[in-house]
Amino acid sequence: EIDLKEALKSGDALKVSTLRMLKSALGNYLIEKRRKSADDAEVQILIQKQIKMCDDSIEGCKKAGRQDLLDKETKEKSILQSYVPKPLSPQELEEIVRAVISEKGARSKADIGLVMKEALTRCAGRADGKDVQAAALKHLP
């Protein structure tokens, strides 16, 4: 809310529209869940979904050769990224996955679900599920 008000005052139209889009997504999520508020983890997940939507749009703009829309989507993505924690480095992700495998006693790829659930919880939106899965598969025989 505060950032939206500041963006309105400063006349940053792109930031205003991006934050309004995010606020709308949150409102729709709350209506869907029939709740009045969301915790930080849920908000982070919503922001990550919006970032993925930007990534999809960026790919579409590249294929269509629309540089104007590509620039807009790239800026929207950077605005959204400023509201999520810094992504884990590959080394940090590897450490988390190895720790989970060790703690859970995972012995084979059949245990991937157990490892994924705990690793994603520990990563808390700071790593993509595909990256977590790749790291887990790398360390499970």
Side-chain angles (χ1 to χ4, degrees):
E1 290 286 325
I2 294 169
D3 287 349
L4 180 58
K5 288 178 185 177
E6 288 176 9
L8 282 165
K9 288 178 184 178
S10 69
D12 187 346
L14 183 60
K15 189 169 186 177
V16 168
S17 70
T18 302
L19 292 177
R20 282 183 175 160
M21 174 186 63
L22 184 57
K23 187 176 178 183
S24 174
L26 178 60
N28 290 338
Y29 174 80
L30 293 174
I31 290 169
E32 179 184 316
K33 298 293 181 182
R34 298 174 193 228
R35 296 194 351 229
K36 296 206 183 270
S37 65
D39 63 22
D40 287 344
E42 291 171 312
V43 173
Q44 293 298 320
I45 290 168
L46 279 171
I47 295 171
Q48 291 290 354
K49 285 182 181 180
Q50 294 294 320
I51 290 171
K52 285 188 181 202
M53 288 171 54
C54 285
D55 285 337
D56 293 343
S57 295
I58 287 169
E59 280 301 311
C61 292
K62 285 179 182 176
K63 288 179 183 173
R66 294 289 309 265
Q67 189 62 41
D68 56 332
L69 293 177
L70 179 64
D71 293 341
K72 177 184 174 285
E73 290 293 333
T74 304
K75 288 175 186 172
E76 276 185 12
K77 181 180 173 183
S78 69
I79 290 168
L80 291 169
Q81 285 175 325
S82 71
Y83 292 97
V84 293
K86 182 180 161 239
L88 292 171
S89 71
Q91 296 79 17
E92 292 170 319
L93 180 57
E94 294 277 330
E95 288 175 23
I96 290 171
V97 169
R98 279 196 303 267
V100 170
I101 289 171
S102 173
E103 291 169 18
K104 296 293 182 182
R107 302 265 183 251
S108 69
K109 291 183 177 157
D111 299 322
I112 189 78
L114 183 68
V115 172
M116 287 290 296
K117 183 177 179 183
E118 180 64 24
L120 285 171
T121 301
R122 291 186 189 184
C123 291
R126 295 182 60 202
D128 186 62
K130 291 177 186 175
D131 296 333
V132 175
Q133 182 181 27
L137 289 173
K138 180 177 167 183
H139 294 289
L140 288 171

